[in-house]
Amino acid sequence: MQALPIFYNIAKRLCVVIGGGDVATRKVNMLLKANAEVTVVSPAFHHELEALAAAEKIQLIRAAYDATQLNAACLVIAATDDHLVNVAVSSDAKHMNIPVNVVDAPELCTFTMGSIVDRSPVIIAVSSEGNAPVLARYIRTRIETMLPAGYGRIASIAGEFREKVKAKFATTQQRRRFWEDVLQGPVVERVLSGQEQSARELLAGMIESEASMTKQGEVFLVGGGPGDPDLLTFRALRLMQQCDVCVYDKLVSPEVMALVRRDAELIYVGKARDQHTMPQEEINELLASLALAGRRVLRLKGGDPFIFGRGGEEIETLMEHGVPFQVVPGITAANGVSSYAGIPLTHRDYAQACLFITGHLKDGTLDLDWASMARPRQTVVIYMGLVGLAQICEQLIKHGVSASMPVAVVQQGTTQRQKVVTATLVDLAEKVSLAGLKPPCLTIIGEVVHLREKLAWFEPNATEEV
Ligand SMILES: C[S@@+](CC[C@H](N)C(=O)[O-])C[C@H]1O[C@@H](n2cnc3c(N)ncnc32)[C@H](O)[C@@H]1O
């Protein structure tokens, strides 16, 4: 280690920046984040610096550099494009024992700042000691994606309870064990999902009972997206890695399932058409009973849990049983599948609205609002409509939609098994049956489907266009 990583408190202390361009502006903004008193020295200034000065956030000295400007500074940054000035600033600051950083010149610095991940009050700085700043930035980006944005809030809430914990637990070891339990338990997820008050109550309860409540169960109702695992949200992936048991549907792709924690128990509850493995009411009760037994339950659904996903019914039951839960939205099939099929659902030249409709048959018939589906300048997206497709096309033509209206049916969109059939209302059913498409399939009806000829971009391995 060539330099000691330290966190330097510069709040309300004078920091001087020499240089007035955009690099200097970035440095000034960083110093302001740490509540420094900032003075900037330059013959001319970036407009953002002028605006900060006008708002009395910083002071400007419109002059050439001289060493007296460093008097009383606790930190100096040189960000000019004049090498001789940078050298002079470095040498003067060293002479005056003031820590100095010269942008892009590690040999002139007495300190460097590293690439920062800001989850205030948690701060992570990555340094390569000037050897490979791009690598340090790359590592920082990796850390950014690993650490949920709400980690800072966890630290703040922990800070609120620090004294109480100290008073309750006498030894450092007891306190450490307590905080480890907190960080592995439900408090963290409550903070991250925005339920801070509930997290505080839970934490207060844990201190009161001097016990960990990691055994309290909960349910994560997670949207697993349309199939491509790269479309999962950060939060979905994190919770998938944390669960004790995963209750999942047929629609969740094998690639997404592969990311569920390896030693979690897997419970398949089906939902293929006509062969519902478990009735919805039983699924609702199953989720509640698993959580009440103290388990962290991942309820993993295809797409988004609230779009034709019956997620609402599941959390209603959880509410009735007093089971804590959170809902993680997923990319719904209409979004994911249309993107991967190169069909912008609301391209403004063709559509001003987009309808999401379920084409699920009830008693073998379809009871849809045909008149509203037949309106011009809109796109209609039909979920679960494969069986009723012939009926849908027939009815739309009957209600005034042109027989030549373009339609696309996409099977297993976003996955390597994606297949797309394009046709018109009049020949769609025949083409789909010839192609032998199987569920899950999404149907998109509207002028926007024409755009696929120009905009198709995704090349699945098993591509077949009909
Ligand atoms: C019960 S709905 C669930 C929808 C899901 N909650 C969502 O937001 O996407 C099932 C229907 O979603 C559509 N679907 C889901 N994933 C799909 C995919 N990858 N490709 C095509 N259609 C899909 C199909 O129409 C399927 O019959």
Side-chain angles (χ1 to χ4, degrees):
M1 192 157 68
Q2 283 174 7
L4 182 71
I6 56 171
F7 290 87
Y8 186 28
N9 188 349
I10 56 170
K12 298 204 171 84
R13 298 178 68 196
L14 176 66
C15 296
V16 177
V17 177
I18 312 296
D22 47 350
V23 180
T25 307
R26 282 205 297 277
K27 301 292 173 193
V28 167
N29 280 324
M30 185 135 71
L31 295 172
L32 287 177
K33 269 192 182 177
N35 300 314
E37 302 265 336
V38 184
T39 294
V40 189
V41 178
S42 174
F45 295 102
H46 188 277
H47 62 87
E48 219 181 289
L49 293 175
E50 299 271 15
L52 285 170
E56 298 185 356
K57 301 250 167 69
I58 60 174
Q59 281 207 338
L60 301 182
I61 299 179
R62 208 173 293 271
Y65 166 71
D66 83 74
T68 59
Q69 292 151 351
L70 307 187
N71 286 343
C74 75
L75 181 143
V76 174
I77 295 178
T80 78
D81 48 15
D82 183 332
H83 180 65
L84 289 179
V85 172
N86 288 346
V87 171
V89 174
S90 165
S91 142
D92 294 339
K94 284 175 188 165
H95 194 66
M96 297 161 84
N97 274 329
I98 306 170
V100 60
N101 176 273
V102 180
V103 175
D104 284 339
E107 71 287 358
L108 297 178
C109 298
T110 57
F111 77 94
T112 55
M113 277 176 289
S115 290
I116 291 168
V117 180
D118 185 355
R119 298 286 186 276
S120 292
V122 176
I123 306 289
I124 299 164
V126 183
S127 160
S128 65
E129 294 190 334
N131 290 298
V134 176
L135 177 66
R137 278 202 289 278
Y138 177 73
I139 293 171
R140 186 206 66 187
T141 313
R142 302 285 305 264
I143 297 174
E144 286 276 9
T145 57
M146 276 163 49
L147 284 189
Y151 258 41
R153 295 202 305 276
I154 294 168
S156 301
I157 289 177
E160 288 171 28
F161 285 86
R162 204 159 161 229
E163 288 308 318
K164 275 195 184 140
V165 172
K166 245 184 179 170
K168 192 81 183 185
F169 300 95
T171 68
T172 318
Q173 203 183 359
Q174 282 174 327
R175 292 199 286 273
R176 196 183 58 224
R177 198 168 315 136
F178 176 80
W179 283 120
E180 279 171 4
D181 278 351
V182 170
L183 292 177
Q184 285 163 26
V187 170
V188 170
E189 279 312 326
R190 280 204 210 160
V191 177
L192 295 179
S193 62
Q195 305 175 76
E196 287 187 16
Q197 200 40 42
S198 150
R200 282 192 182 90
E201 284 162 17
L202 196 57
L203 191 46
M206 286 172 74
I207 298 170
E208 199 54 41
S209 62
E210 295 183 35
S212 106
M213 286 192 182
T214 49
K215 279 284 152 232
Q216 196 190 39
E218 59 192 321
V219 174
F220 312 134
L221 176 57
V222 172
D228 182 345
D230 278 4
L231 297 180
L232 286 167
T233 60
F234 290 146
R235 186 175 293 177
L237 186 59
R238 193 177 70 246
L239 297 176
M240 286 163 71
Q241 297 284 318
Q242 273 181 28
C243 64
D244 302 315
V245 50
C246 167
V247 178
Y248 69 103
D249 285 343
K250 187 173 175 59
L251 207 57
V252 181
S253 74
E255 294 85 351
V256 169
M257 281 308 296
L259 297 174
V260 175
R261 194 176 134 205
R262 288 216 182 285
D263 43 5
E265 182 191 346
L266 302 181
I267 302 179
Y268 175 64
V269 289
K271 292 261 186 77
R273 212 185 88 79
D274 292 341
Q275 31 172 302
H276 283 207
T277 309
M278 190 183 277
Q280 185 64 47
E281 294 68 27
E282 275 180 43
I283 297 176
N284 303 347
E285 291 300 330
L286 171 71
L287 296 174
S289 64
L290 288 167
L292 288 169
R295 304 182 77 186
R296 281 169 305 176
V297 185
L298 172 72
R299 173 62 175 122
L300 188 55
K301 286 176 166 286
D304 180 88
F306 283 0
I307 304 274
F308 305 128
R310 305 188 75 170
E313 295 162 49
E314 294 177 4
I315 60 172
E316 256 178 63
T317 308
L318 297 176
M319 280 272 190
E320 282 160 19
H321 287 276
V323 171
F325 65 85
Q326 61 170 292
V327 184
V328 183
I331 291 187
T332 187
N335 281 348
V337 170
S338 62
S339 297
Y340 278 52
I343 303 173
L345 293 179
T346 60
H347 191 296
R348 65 177 182 162
D349 291 346
Y350 305 99
Q352 288 166 325
C354 180
L355 288 184
F356 291 2
I357 284 174
T358 167
H360 198 52
L361 299 180
K362 259 194 191 153
D363 311 321
T365 55
L366 272 173
D367 184 18
L368 296 175
D369 180 355
W370 300 112
S372 73
M373 284 172 71
R375 283 198 199 112
R377 295 190 60 76
Q378 72 178 4
T379 305
V380 178
V381 180
I382 304 174
Y383 289 67
M384 296 177 279
L386 206 49
V387 175
L389 214 51
Q391 229 184 103
I392 290 170
C393 295
E394 206 177 288
Q395 284 293 338
L396 287 178
I397 294 172
K398 220 186 242 177
H399 284 79
V401 182
S402 158
S404 63
M405 177 63 81
V407 189
V409 178
V410 186
Q411 171 192 291
Q412 292 188 68
T414 80
T415 73
Q416 291 302 329
R417 301 167 295 283
Q418 172 171 306
K419 275 191 194 175
V420 183
V421 171
T422 48
T424 60
L425 280 181
V426 82
D427 60 5
L428 180 72
E430 191 191 344
K431 275 191 161 184
V432 166
S433 125
L434 269 178
L437 295 191
K438 298 198 176 57
C441 280
L442 193 84
T443 304
I444 305 172
I445 305 172
E447 299 290 352
V448 290
V449 171
H450 276 314
L451 290 164
R452 175 171 163 78
E453 285 162 30
K454 251 198 320 203
L455 303 180
W457 59 272
F458 177 57
E459 297 172 2
N461 293 337
T463 187
E464 257 178 68
E465 188 103 8
V466 186

